[in-house]
């Protein structure tokens, strides 16, 4: 590859979202949202509860179909893709769901081994060893590996879900509220693990959160969603001096400001 | 005016739901016949549907056969009783009662269990997680259940046929004092292959319907634990109603001339 072409490839963002719209009945959740996430970048989308953060991620993954707009992954338009083409895109993804979403009919190691067994065709014995290694990476031992998810604490479940998300060595990782529902210390453990995993894989990461401490720790760049659009985006270090009233209000947790007004009007 | 609007809305909703269900059934059926097959999952579901339903289905059939013998004797078969009672028992069991009662019992057990399991997977985002791991939930969750339901319920019903006839025999011989060999001879004499086959065809259709309703209502459940509860109830009720409706249709297809 020539230098020029490499530069061009690097300039294609891992995720490029344009004019994304998604409504449920009259509830216009995403309303012309634009967002770019560069290769190897870790971006956090912050915003209040119910502002459509999870809906955004589900549209990008393909669990929901946008009403209109464009979502490109590595330069490939993914809206409306089905079948094998969709599977190829999905193979690049690793997802940590808001509620961990572990398969409760399977043991912990079977959860982690699911992707390798079903998608990479890895034999079960080998997949078990690989799963144990991934679990060790998130600080879980053999004792937990043979348990069922319901027998683990919330923090442990999140760690298993993280191990499952990275098990197929995906290029693009999605974390939906990774620290919500955890105590601050366990939350920080998860943050550290996420940073470690993303760096280890050299992956692109999109983290959804309303936890500012988590966003600052995980992300290179922060974007704020409000009213169905990204109203501010910038380097994580600049979020304090965004000059945007809504961002200021959100990161300082104030009740007075544009966000509250918007809630009352709609 | 309002009444017209609400009738219209109800009609639209009905056709929308019927369309969704037909689409769902079509997708499910397509994944049943198109490889790859998850044999491990199909096997597990077959054990769940068949093996664990046998006790309840067997008991239902036993008592039904017994009561049939008693009723048909005391009601309308005091003359020429041996052959009449035997024929009534064996035909009612194989054609109607074994498939319908087994279907209803299994709908209660399996339809509810499937709706609850898949519904819980839906509301806890496990189905989304499956999709995100490039696994089609229709292939992985729906198809194995449809296959297991369709193949396994006929086996249950065949067992129920035997047990039901045996129940009738027990009462006829021990309580009504019938002659053993005459009773057995009449049982076999008037029984045709079509009687048993029609019952087994019913069972296969009912098994498919039960699994379909369980999967469909589970798959579309929303709103936490309450939503899963509603899905479970709807799965059992709709499966039961469909069983009775299809029972009529299949009977007509087989026996109306
Ligand atoms: N499947 C759905 N059907 C209808 N409305 C939905 C659905 N999913 C999300 N919503 C609505 O979209 C809005 C945003 O939800 P969500 O993205 O989950 O918020 P959050 O930012 O807290 O993750 C909410 O008002 C929610 O009610
Ligand atoms: Mg959310």
């Amino acid at each position: 590859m020539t230098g020029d072409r490499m530069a061009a490839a690097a300039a294609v963002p891992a995720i490029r979202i344009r004019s994304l719209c998604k409504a449920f009945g009259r509830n216009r959740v995403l309303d012309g949202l634009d967002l770019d996430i560069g290769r190897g970048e870790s971006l956090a989308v912050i915003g209040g509860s119910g502002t459509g953060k999870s809906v955004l991620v589900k549209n990008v993954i393909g669990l929901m179909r946008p009403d209109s707009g464009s979502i490109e992954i590595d330069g490939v338009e993914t809206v409306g893709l089905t079948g094998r083409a969709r599977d190829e895109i999905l193979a690049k993804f690793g997802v940590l769901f808001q509620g961990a979403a572990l398969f409760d009919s399977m043991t912990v190691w079977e959860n982690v081994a699911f992707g390798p067994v079903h998608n990479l065709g890895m034999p079960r014995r080998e997949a078990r060893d690989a799963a144990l290694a991934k679990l060790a990476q998130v600080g879980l031992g053999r004792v937990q590996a043979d348990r069922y998810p319901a027998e683990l604490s919330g923090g442990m479940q999140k760690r298993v879900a993280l191990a499952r998300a990275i098990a197929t060595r995906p290029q693009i990782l999605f974390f939906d509220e990774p620290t919500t529902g955890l105590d601050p210390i366990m939350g920080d453990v998860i943050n550290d693990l996420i940073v470690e995993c993303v760096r280890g894989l050299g992956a692109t990461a999109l983290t959804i959160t309303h936890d500012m401490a988590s966003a600052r720790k995980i992300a290179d760049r922060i974007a704020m969603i409000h009213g169905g659009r990204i109203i501010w985006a910038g380097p994580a270090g600049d979020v304090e001096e965004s000059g945007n009233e809504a961002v200021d209000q959100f990161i300082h947790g104030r009740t007075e400001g544009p966000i509250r007004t918007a809630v009352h009007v709609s | 005016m309002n009444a017209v609007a609400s009738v219209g809305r109800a009609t639209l909703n009905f056709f929308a739901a019927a369309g969704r269900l037909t689409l769902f059934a079509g997708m499910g059926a397509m994944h049943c016949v198109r490889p790859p097959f998850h044999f491990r999952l199909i096997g597990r579901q077959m054990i769940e549907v068949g093996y664990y339903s046998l006790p309840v289905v067997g008991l239902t059939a036993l008592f039904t056969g017994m009561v049939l013998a008693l009723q048909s004797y005391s009601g309308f078969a005091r003359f020429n009783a041996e052959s009449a009672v035997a024929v009534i028992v064996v035909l009612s069991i194989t054609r109607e009662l074994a498939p319908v009662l087994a279907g209803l019992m299994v709908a209660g057990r399996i339809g509810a269990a499937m709706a609850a399991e898949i519904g819980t997977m839906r509301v806890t985002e496990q189905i989304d997680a499956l999709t995100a791991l490039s696994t089609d939930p229709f292939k992985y969750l729906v198809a194995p259940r449809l296959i297991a339901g369709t193949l396994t319920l006929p086996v249950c019903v065949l067992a129920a046929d035997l047990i039901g006839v045996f129940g009738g025999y027990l009462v006829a011989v021990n309580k009504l004092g019938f002659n053993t060999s005459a009773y057995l001879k009449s049982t076999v004499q008037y029984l045709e292959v079509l009687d048993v086959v029609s019952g087994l065809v019913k069972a296969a259709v009912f098994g498919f319907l039960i699994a379909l309703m369980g999967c469909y209502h589970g798959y579309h459940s929303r709103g936490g634990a309450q939503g899963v509860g509603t899905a479970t109830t709807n799965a059992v009720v709709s499966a039961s109603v469909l069983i009775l409706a299809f029972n009529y249709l299949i009977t007509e297809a087989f026996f109306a001339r």
Side-chain angles (χ1 to χ4, degrees), chain A residues 24 27 29 48-55 64 98 177, chain B residues 222:
Chain A
F24 298 101
N27 182 9
V29 177
S49 298
T51 48
K53 304 188 296 297
S54 296
V55 169
M64 280 181 188
Q98 195 165 339
E177 310 221 356
Chain B
R222 55 182 57 205

Side-chain angles (χ1 to χ4, degrees), chain A residues 81-140:
Chain A
L81 275 192
T82 52
R84 185 157 303 185
R86 160 72 58 197
D87 285 346
E88 261 167 40
I89 297 291
L90 280 172
K92 298 184 180 188
F93 293 167
V95 189
L96 173 60
F97 284 90
Q98 195 165 339
L102 296 174
F103 303 128
D104 47 24
S105 61
M106 296 177 205
T107 61
V108 162
W109 80 262
E110 285 173 325
N111 265 277
V112 178
F114 192 94
V117 168
H118 287 264
N119 300 332
L120 309 181
M122 201 187 274
R124 269 175 79 84
R125 290 196 68 85
E126 198 181 315
R128 184 181 152 90
D129 291 339
L132 289 176
K134 290 287 179 220
L135 285 168
Q137 208 177 325
V138 297
L140 296 174

Side-chain angles (χ1 to χ4, degrees), chain B residues 72-114:
Chain B
S72 54
Y73 178 72
S74 72
F76 47 86
R78 301 226 179 117
F79 312 101
N80 202 5
E82 260 104 346
S83 69
V85 169
V87 169
I88 289 170
V89 169
V90 73
L91 290 191
S92 319
I93 289 280
T94 54
R95 282 184 176 198
E96 283 297 322
L97 293 172
V100 170
L101 291 180
L104 294 176
M105 295 312 257
V106 172
R109 267 199 81 238
I110 298 299
M114 285 179 181

Side-chain angles (χ1 to χ4, degrees), chain A residues 58 63 87 90-91 95 97-99 101-104 106 114-115 118-119 124 164, chain B residues 38 40-41 44 117 120-121 124-135 140:
Chain A
K58 284 181 181 168
L63 293 170
D87 285 346
L90 280 172
V95 189
F97 284 90
Q98 195 165 339
L102 296 174
F103 303 128
D104 47 24
M106 296 177 205
F114 192 94
H118 287 264
N119 300 332
R124 269 175 79 84
R164 183 175 72 179
Chain B
H38 291 284
R40 187 193 259 272
L41 296 173
R44 190 190 296 168
E117 188 177 0
T120 304
M121 291 187 74
T124 57
E125 295 184 315
Q126 290 178 55
I127 293 184
D128 288 344
L130 265 185
T131 311
L133 287 161
S134 341
T135 303
Y140 192 82

